[in-house]
Amino acid sequence: MILGLEGPSYGGKTSALGRLRRVPAMQDAMFFSCYVKSFARREDIPPPSTQSAAEQVEAFMTFMEIEAERVRVARRHGGLVVLDRTVDTLLAHAHAVDEIHGFGVLPELRQRVEEMPHLRPDCTLYLDVAPELLHLRRKAAGHHEVEQEYFLHDPAFLARFRDYFCSRARRPAAREIAVASGDGDRQETAAVVQALFTYWAGGQ
């Protein structure tokens, strides 16, 4: 069984999964960190705000190389897999920039996903967090002073990224999508994630 956790940046995913790792029922699960954790150098991470359709496809392909490695490792493991972001993150990002810039690459990327090795989640939880709260969390972390313009919290991007997961008109890669509020503190959000993921894992 493959479980995914999604949501906006600063939505509480990493903290929730950190707690989930310590739950006895999840001790045999294989956890994969967010794609960006696979880069040794920050400057090698593709820019979140791409300037052309070609650049968006290139960024997608870079992340799909990481996805292919996830597939290889997961196959060796053969048990429960928990993902911090999934291929749906890549498609949701493409959907958002398509809507903002008119690139029109999402259909092509959907086709590439079908043709390339990837982990398709059985169940994915999307943490829905108010944009104002995301801004406050980022500011509290001290990151606002370093990078004031943060594309991943641009209102237009956030709305369209959310729409990918929450609109019935979209077709995520995950077989099932659940949505839960992530507006509470870290402990509350982690408790929600733990309850749902252990429930899903128990039904495998």
Side-chain angles (χ1 to χ4, degrees):
M1 175 171 278
I2 301 172
L3 306 179
L5 186 59
E6 293 282 1
S9 181
Y10 293 86
K13 299 184 310 305
T14 301
S15 297
L17 291 179
R19 170 170 162 170
L20 189 65
R21 287 173 182 265
R22 299 190 293 273
V23 174
M26 306 297 287
Q27 290 302 301
D28 294 330
M30 171 161 284
F31 286 77
F32 286 95
S33 299
C34 180
Y35 294 106
V36 296
K37 298 291 182 63
S38 297
F39 292 89
R41 302 188 309 166
R42 185 177 181 83
E43 55 267 32
D44 292 334
I45 302 173
S49 180
T50 50
Q51 302 304 307
S52 68
E55 190 176 353
Q56 183 62 33
V57 172
E58 182 181 359
F60 169 83
M61 294 301 292
T62 297
F63 288 122
M64 285 303 285
E65 292 177 7
I66 298 169
E67 182 68 15
E69 178 59 24
R70 283 179 164 191
V71 170
R72 286 191 287 272
V73 175
R75 282 176 175 166
R76 290 198 298 269
H77 173 65
L80 178 65
V81 173
V82 179
L83 306 175
D84 182 348
R85 297 203 180 279
T86 74
V87 291
D88 275 319
T89 275
L90 311 181
L91 297 176
H93 195 111
H95 166 70
V97 296
D98 271 7
E99 292 288 309
I100 294 170
H101 299 303
F103 291 161
V105 300
L106 182 58
E108 175 187 347
L109 300 190
R110 282 191 182 280
Q111 183 62 38
R112 293 198 184 202
V113 165
E114 293 300 321
E115 297 170 351
M116 300 174 72
H118 67 283
L119 297 173
R120 182 184 182 190
D122 294 288
C123 306
T124 289
L125 174 62
Y126 179 82
L127 292 176
D128 197 17
V129 185
E132 299 80 7
L133 184 56
L134 295 172
H135 175 75
L136 290 175
R137 288 177 179 176
R138 185 168 175 270
K139 192 172 183 179
H143 298 162
H144 178 74
E145 291 75 11
V146 178
E147 183 185 3
Q148 294 188 6
E149 298 298 324
Y150 188 58
F151 178 73
L152 297 181
H153 283 180
D154 179 271
F157 176 84
L158 280 174
R160 289 160 175 83
F161 186 85
R162 178 185 187 278
D163 178 66
Y164 175 89
F165 291 97
C166 300
S167 171
R168 292 186 178 181
R170 304 274 79 80
R171 295 183 295 105
R175 294 179 174 85
E176 177 185 346
I177 296 281
V179 179
S181 173
D183 287 348
D185 61 28
R186 289 183 178 181
Q187 293 302 314
E188 291 172 330
T189 299
V192 169
V193 172
Q194 178 179 330
L196 189 53
F197 275 49
T198 52
Y199 169 77
W200 280 335
Q204 63 178 319

